[in-house]
Amino acid sequence: MNGSSLVKSMELKELTRKTLELFGCKDIAELQKNIMSTIQQNDFNKYESFCQLIDNELSIDWLQKIFQYYYADRKYKKQDYTPKSLAELCGRLTECENEKIVIDLCAGSGALTIQKWNSNNSLNFICFELDETVIPFLLFNLAIRNINGYVVNGNALSGEIVKTYQITKGDKFSTITECKEIKIQADTCISNPPFNLKWTLPVFSQLQSRFSKCELPPESNANYAFVLTALDWIKEKASFILPNGVLTTDNKQEKAIIKYLVDKNLIESVILCPRSMFESTDISTCILTVNKHKKHTFVEFIDMRKIYEEETREQNGQFGGAAHENRTYKKSVNVFTNDHIASAVKSIAENENISEFCKSVSLNKIASNNYTLQVSRYIDFEIKENQHRKYGDIIDDINRIIDEKNALKLTMNETIAKAIGIFDIYSLCKQSEKTADEMSESLSFTGKKIKKENFITLSKNKNEFKFENMSKEKLSTILVSILQMWKQHIMYLNEEENRYLIELRDALLPDLMSGKIELK
């Protein structure tokens, strides 16, 4: 295995350990602050050391892996960072002649920008990002790649700016300085905005150029607010990774916006993506590309749900003690290959229906279909969206496992528990009691509750050990054997419970992200 392959196979735990060591951090909580300090000092030595750590493999957003695991807020900020192949496809879809400046509308740690830069190192970037926590990771990523441009720490929708940073290209690394606000104007835009984000319309919104020619986007959902904002800032093209819900909607405002985009001949293509491309959710997504200088009057619809390769990645747990950290989890994700990306780009650029999964549809046809962008209206395929078991059935299986755990309760002296490695199981049991209450409240819409685990109690009584153990002075050897069998059985049941919890999570996430359900 060569150096580059070795780096690509580096586990998150090892990457995190080496990164913390490089930046002099005691724990992950210090990393963001220490990276920012490195940037403020324009510490090229640290930049060089990090590049050596990753074997100068700059085509991958290594810091995204760390930020997504330890810092990302999926509940409130709806942060799910862009997979590499989706970022590559967006970058290719927005290529145009004389492209010089690119806006990354919701940059995160820079995944989209990095893939766009990979294809053209001469581009300048304006990266908008609201979350102050990820700004150091974004700035560092741009600096080590010697990228030229600006990072705007602010809200792209409201226009509120916290800070603006200038990134100036050097001999090998960029120099970063704070600067005044800049004029936002670019040739193209790439964006993976937070899905279905609630927002507040600015005062006098209808007078703003981005909204003055069409209906105002609803405050309940900012998907099309991002699209219209980008259109106002660019000269050529923009590609957005969005939930499939944007393609067809019952919201009158969103319907009016789709009609505006179609009638003005702004939509170039709609690509339906496979599920499970994101590591943290299997939500169905699409890529919507707009073009202000189209030379034809049709939209290219592409169904890529069956055009992908599956990658299985192994990852050990990061938290929860040895029982969790020594366990290897397998995560399967779907990815586009270079050939898949090239085929999609060629179909759109050359207006060719290269397979049964592509179709050029006239604006008149879309209008006659009530302006829906739903791909199934134009390409025949079998719809199997969000198929999962009933929530109640999944919860019943989880409770069945918990009942089996609780059927045999162990009471043990705390010192013995620590000596023979049972204390971790006790800690997990206590945590699960709290988790059960939180989950039951969130899942109240199902009419069922997650039961509490109560299969182990620790005591201060000397040598107390109950299945029961009657001696206070001596621990029976046969009970040690029974205990090991019990421990193995509990670990097996934990695996089963985790499997059902993952199934419940994967069932919930698409409905949450699409707005079908809302947890308390």
Side-chain angles (χ1 to χ4, degrees):
M1 181 180 289
N2 61 37
S4 182
S5 298
L6 183 63
V7 168
K8 288 182 179 180
S9 67
M10 193 191 311
E11 231 192 27
L12 172 62
K13 188 173 183 178
E14 181 66 5
L15 173 65
T16 303
R17 183 188 68 78
K18 290 182 176 180
T19 302
L20 293 179
E21 182 179 306
L22 172 64
F23 287 100
C25 303
K26 292 181 293 186
D27 53 43
I28 196 68
E30 291 185 345
L31 183 59
Q32 185 236 16
K33 180 185 69 174
N34 288 12
I35 289 179
M36 195 66 200
S37 176
T38 297
I39 292 163
Q40 290 169 337
Q41 298 171 33
N42 288 298
D43 190 342
F44 290 179
N45 290 329
K46 281 276 175 63
Y47 295 171
E48 183 63 48
S49 296
F50 186 83
C51 288
Q52 291 177 8
L53 169 63
I54 61 172
D55 198 28
N56 288 300
E57 177 53 85
L58 297 174
S59 67
I60 298 173
D61 183 357
W62 298 97
L63 291 180
Q64 180 199 57
K65 299 173 184 290
I66 296 174
F67 187 90
Q68 182 164 275
Y69 192 93
Y70 294 101
Y71 291 95
D73 180 348
R74 296 180 182 87
K75 183 175 181 181
Y76 297 106
K77 297 176 183 175
K78 300 184 184 293
Q79 292 174 323
D80 282 295
Y81 285 91
T82 315
K84 183 174 181 285
S85 64
L86 275 181
E88 285 184 74
L89 180 52
C90 281
R92 292 289 308 278
L93 290 171
T94 51
E95 289 177 350
C96 58
E97 192 175 355
N98 299 320
E99 183 182 21
K100 295 179 180 178
I101 303 175
V102 182
I103 288 179
D104 189 341
L105 200 55
C106 303
S109 60
L112 279 160
T113 290
I114 290 170
Q115 297 313 316
K116 186 73 175 176
W117 169 82
N118 280 341
S119 64
N120 185 349
N121 293 169
S122 67
L123 291 172
N124 297 283
F125 291 86
I126 301 173
C127 296
F128 248 93
E129 176 54 45
L130 174 61
D131 184 14
E132 190 174 354
T133 306
V134 77
I135 290 293
F137 297 83
L138 174 59
L139 290 169
F140 188 85
N141 267 335
L142 302 184
I144 63 172
R145 290 170 175 82
N146 205 16
I147 290 175
N148 205 63
Y150 296 90
V151 166
V152 181
N153 180 197
N155 189 325
L157 296 181
S158 70
E160 297 172 359
I161 307 299
V162 179
K163 284 183 181 179
T164 302
Y165 302 87
Q166 183 171 5
I167 302 95
T168 306
K169 191 171 185 176
D171 292 333
K172 185 173 183 181
F173 302 115
S174 299
T175 300
I176 296 175
T177 55
E178 286 189 34
C179 64
K180 295 181 179 179
E181 293 183 18
I182 60 169
K183 182 179 180 181
I184 309 297
Q185 193 67 53
D187 301 302
T188 59
C189 173
I190 46 179
S191 182
N192 177 20
F195 296 167
N196 306 317
L197 183 72
K198 292 181 180 179
W199 71 302
T200 302
L201 282 163
V203 179
F204 303 122
S205 299
Q206 190 65 63
L207 299 179
Q208 296 181 1
S209 56
R210 55 180 170 164
F211 302 138
S212 62
K213 298 176 183 177
C214 65
E215 182 64 65
L216 290 172
E219 291 188 320
S220 61
N221 193 316
N223 292 330
Y224 278 107
F226 284 110
V227 174
L228 293 173
T229 298
L231 274 169
D232 192 49
W233 282 343
I234 63 169
K235 298 176 184 177
E236 301 284 345
K237 295 183 181 183
S239 283
F240 307 87
I241 301 169
L242 296 166
N244 280 356
V246 304
L247 303 179
T248 180
T249 176
D250 293 326
N251 183 281
K252 291 182 179 180
Q253 293 162 279
E254 290 184 328
K255 279 187 173 181
I257 293 170
I258 294 173
K259 182 179 184 300
Y260 165 78
L261 294 173
V262 172
D263 287 346
K264 293 296 182 181
N265 197 20
L266 290 167
I267 300 177
E268 181 169 78
S269 64
V270 176
I271 298 177
L272 198 59
C273 300
R275 302 190 73 133
S276 301
M277 296 199 77
F278 289 78
E279 291 196 11
S280 55
T281 176
D282 72 342
I283 188 172
S284 297
T285 58
C286 64
I287 299 178
L288 180 69
T289 300
V290 294
N291 185 346
K292 298 177 82 170
H293 298 288
K294 279 176 65 180
K295 297 179 180 179
H296 51 74
T297 56
F298 54 83
V299 176
E300 191 75 22
F301 287 88
I302 305 179
D303 173 19
M304 296 185 71
R305 295 183 313 145
K306 296 181 180 179
I307 306 173
Y308 62 85
E309 285 189 359
E310 186 177 285
E311 284 187 1
T312 300
R313 301 169 188 170
E314 294 187 348
Q315 176 63 55
N316 281 10
Q318 307 300 298
F319 307 108
H324 184 56
E325 292 175 8
N326 293 335
R327 189 185 309 166
T328 299
Y329 298 85
K330 292 185 177 181
K331 175 69 176 179
S332 294
V333 293
N334 296 326
V335 300
F336 294 138
T337 66
N338 291 335
D339 288 343
H340 297 151
I341 292 170
S343 293
V345 172
K346 180 180 179 182
S347 178
I348 295 167
E350 299 182 8
N351 311 136
E352 293 183 2
N353 295 330
I354 58 176
S355 74
E356 68 272 23
F357 303 115
C358 306
K359 191 169 184 180
S360 300
V361 180
S362 69
L363 301 186
N364 289 336
K365 178 71 172 178
I366 296 172
S368 69
N369 275 283
N370 199 26
Y371 290 95
T372 182
L373 300 177
Q374 189 172 10
V375 179
S376 60
R377 289 290 186 92
Y378 312 107
I379 301 176
D380 294 329
F381 57 79
E382 183 182 359
I383 300 176
K384 293 183 179 180
E385 291 294 322
N386 197 23
Q387 291 187 346
H388 58 73
R389 291 196 296 150
K390 293 179 180 179
Y391 293 121
D393 291 342
I394 300 173
I395 292 172
D396 284 344
D397 274 331
I398 294 171
N399 285 338
R400 174 176 58 81
I401 297 297
I402 294 174
D403 282 339
E404 189 173 348
K405 282 186 179 181
N406 291 344
L408 182 62
K409 185 172 182 178
L410 169 67
T411 303
M412 176 179 281
N413 172 268
E414 185 175 314
T415 302
I416 296 175
K418 290 179 179 178
I420 61 177
I422 300 299
F423 191 82
D424 284 346
I425 291 179
Y426 171 77
S427 300
L428 289 172
C429 181
K430 294 292 103 180
Q431 178 59 41
S432 74
E433 291 183 25
K434 180 181 177 182
T435 302
D437 286 334
E438 294 173 349
M439 290 184 68
S440 294
E441 182 178 355
S442 297
L443 295 168
S444 59
F445 69 91
T446 67
K448 296 193 175 186
K449 292 184 177 181
I450 302 289
K451 293 182 179 180
K452 293 183 179 181
E453 294 184 350
N454 185 25
F455 56 81
I456 182 170
T457 298
L458 299 188
S459 78
K460 299 291 185 180
N461 296 334
K462 184 178 180 181
N463 283 348
E464 184 171 12
F465 185 108
K466 287 185 182 178
F467 285 143
E468 289 181 345
N469 181 54
M470 302 303 293
S471 173
K472 293 186 177 180
E473 303 296 331
K474 185 178 180 181
L475 183 63
S476 171
T477 56
I478 193 169
L479 278 177
V480 174
S481 298
I482 293 172
L483 181 60
Q484 292 301 324
M485 293 173 62
W486 173 83
K487 179 181 177 182
Q488 290 176 9
H489 189 57
I490 288 294
M491 298 310 295
Y492 161 75
L493 293 174
N494 278 339
E495 292 278 2
E496 288 291 285
E497 184 181 1
N498 285 339
R499 185 163 63 87
Y500 289 121
L501 285 170
I502 290 170
E503 183 183 1
L504 177 61
R505 178 202 67 191
D506 289 344
L508 281 169
L509 280 173
D511 289 343
L512 285 170
M513 298 296 284
S514 66
K516 184 176 179 181
I517 61 172
E518 184 171 346
L519 300 185
K520 293 183 178 179

